[in-house]
Amino acid sequence: MPREVWVLFIGAFVNRLGTFVLPFITLYLTSRGYSVPQAGLGLAGYGLGAIGAQAVGGLLADRIGRRNTIVLSMLGGAALTLSLVWVAGLWPIVLVVVLLGFFGELYRPASSALVADLVAPQARVAAFSAYRMMINIGFACGLALGGVLAGESYRLLFVGDAVTSTLFAVIAVTALPHGTRTTKHEERDRVGAGRSILADRGFLLVLGAVFVTAAVYMQNATTFALHVTDLGYSTRVYGSLLAMNGVLVVLLELPISAWTQHRHRTRMIALGAVLVGLGFAELSLVKAVPGLLLMVVIWTLGEIIESPATSAFVADRAPPHARGRYQGALGMMYASAAVAGPLIGTAVYHISPTALWIVCGLAGLGSAALALSAGRHPAPDQPV
């Protein structure tokens, strides 16, 4: 892969190494004397801002360039994170976190579009796999570092986050290309991104599949935690199970991508969806720790197979002048599922945990059917 791609990966690693606000915002608010439901507003606010960031970030990536969008995102996010050192009061803090979710996530469509600009189609699955792996390693290391800083002072936490965001902006300015960018005037002679997306039935089917799979996947952070503790295990067991997911991603992401990158994109998306659904469906039958470990292995394999193939499919499908907006549409599915998945999952779990896990399995099959159907619909203006 080109040198610029590795520079982007390093920048993303540095940024995720300092992503402290999101995982620690709830603890920060409760430490300030706010209740757990009030603290939950902070996390919800970040998600709300992130949903809007996908659409706007995709448009900016196509208009002002990938590099400029990344710089805007990082500097805006750094300033807002630093402001948390001085902001007081629940609603002012929540407002800052909403804006932070917006600016902090603007870079995602731009980064994915830049990978598509620089990497040949046959290597895109491997490229997106390497990108995911660097982000996961950075986030895992960042959680450990954030725990140390939070133990000393939340101010150090916010300053550290701002510093790493600024460092990514510097890396982008000095070492990343602009990537493809098109003015609104230049786009008049081409099919607009919105019209192109709505006319592409295969792409819309994949978006539907992504939303369903992601909503199932989000149970790992909500109802799966409740299920583990309801079985009588400690939170330490739950943490160890999630840690196993991270270890498997680091060890298997690239080897598996070496196999999946030569397979049909939508078939890999379907296979990943089935495995994610199957992993959670297994919870309707198992209660012992070995069974829980097997469940984590199954849905992690699904995640590893599905996610890079999805990003590569979107990169292949998008016209060069609209890659940012196509990646933004994909990001909106993940962000929306992050809101809908926990809400639906907890509601069903409250009625019957077994019913939830069966529904997850069926949802995985439904998502796979959508992906396979997408494979039968070539792009309107180019071959799949």
Side-chain angles (χ1 to χ4, degrees):
M1 289 181 285
R3 181 187 68 86
E4 294 86 352
V5 174
W6 290 107
V7 171
L8 175 64
F9 293 169
I10 292 170
F13 169 80
V14 169
N15 179 50
R16 296 300 282 179
L17 183 63
T19 303
F20 304 137
V21 171
L22 182 59
F24 285 95
I25 189 63
T26 302
L27 294 176
Y28 171 66
L29 288 171
T30 54
S31 74
R32 297 283 297 269
Y34 297 109
S35 67
V36 172
Q38 287 175 322
L41 290 173
L43 199 59
Y46 191 96
L48 183 63
I51 292 175
Q54 302 304 316
V56 176
L59 177 61
L60 289 175
D62 290 334
R63 287 284 186 264
I64 67 175
R66 323 311 193 200
R67 184 179 72 188
N68 290 343
T69 304
I70 292 172
V71 172
L72 174 64
S73 174
M74 292 301 105
L75 293 182
L80 287 161
T81 301
L82 204 56
S83 73
L84 288 171
V85 173
W86 299 284
V87 172
L90 177 63
W91 292 111
I93 292 174
V94 170
L95 176 60
V96 169
V97 173
V98 170
L99 294 173
L100 178 59
F102 178 79
F103 278 95
E105 299 294 326
L106 274 178
Y107 81 97
R108 288 187 180 274
S111 296
S112 296
L114 187 57
V115 172
D117 291 343
L118 298 173
V119 178
Q122 63 270 21
R124 282 174 179 161
V125 169
F128 283 112
S129 293
Y131 183 43
R132 267 174 39 86
M133 187 179 72
M134 293 294 281
I135 287 176
N136 282 322
I137 294 174
F139 189 65
C141 295
L143 285 176
L145 179 58
V148 173
L149 293 177
E152 296 295 325
S153 166
Y154 279 104
R155 290 193 172 193
L156 286 178
L157 198 72
F158 301 143
V159 171
D161 195 322
V163 167
T164 56
S165 295
T166 303
L167 185 55
F168 187 14
V170 172
I171 292 172
V173 167
T174 57
L176 290 181
H178 278 295
T180 303
R181 50 180 175 173
T182 309
T183 66
K184 190 173 183 179
H185 176 74
E186 292 171 333
E187 198 171 299
R188 286 176 182 171
D189 296 331
R190 305 173 183 175
V191 177
R195 288 172 54 199
S196 178
I197 289 173
L198 292 176
D200 190 342
R201 188 174 180 184
F203 181 70
L204 294 176
L205 287 169
V206 164
L207 291 184
V210 167
F211 175 81
V212 174
T213 303
V216 173
Y217 179 85
M218 284 305 300
Q219 303 312 309
N220 79 81
T222 51
T223 52
F224 180 48
L226 295 173
H227 188 68
V228 171
T229 54
D230 286 347
L231 289 175
Y233 300 112
S234 67
T235 54
R236 183 176 299 178
V237 171
Y238 170 68
S240 298
L241 290 169
L242 287 193
M244 176 62 69
N245 166 255
V247 171
L248 291 172
V249 167
V250 172
L251 292 178
L252 301 179
E253 183 93 37
L254 292 181
I256 288 177
S257 72
W259 177 75
T260 59
Q261 69 179 345
H262 302 298
R263 269 72 186 175
H264 197 283
R265 311 285 202 226
T266 53
R267 291 174 187 169
M268 294 301 97
I269 296 171
L271 176 59
V274 169
L275 290 174
V276 170
L278 179 63
F280 285 95
E282 189 212 4
L283 292 175
S284 63
L285 302 174
V286 303
K287 295 183 178 180
V289 170
L292 298 177
L293 283 171
L294 178 61
M295 170 265 186
V296 172
V297 171
I298 293 172
W299 66 254
T300 300
L301 290 175
E303 169 196 2
I304 292 172
I305 292 170
E306 184 265 349
S307 186
T310 300
S311 296
F313 172 87
V314 175
D316 296 344
R317 202 80 168 191
H321 71 279
R323 281 176 178 150
R325 281 163 287 180
Y326 270 66
Q327 292 292 343
L330 174 63
M332 287 186 70
M333 294 302 101
Y334 285 119
S336 299
V339 175
L343 291 175
I344 296 172
T346 51
V348 177
Y349 186 88
H350 180 70
I351 298 171
S352 169
T354 300
L356 173 63
W357 308 133
I358 292 173
V359 167
C360 286
L362 295 175
L365 294 175
S367 178
L370 290 173
L372 292 175
S373 178
R376 296 191 289 270
H377 296 278
D381 55 353
Q382 61 184 16
V384 178

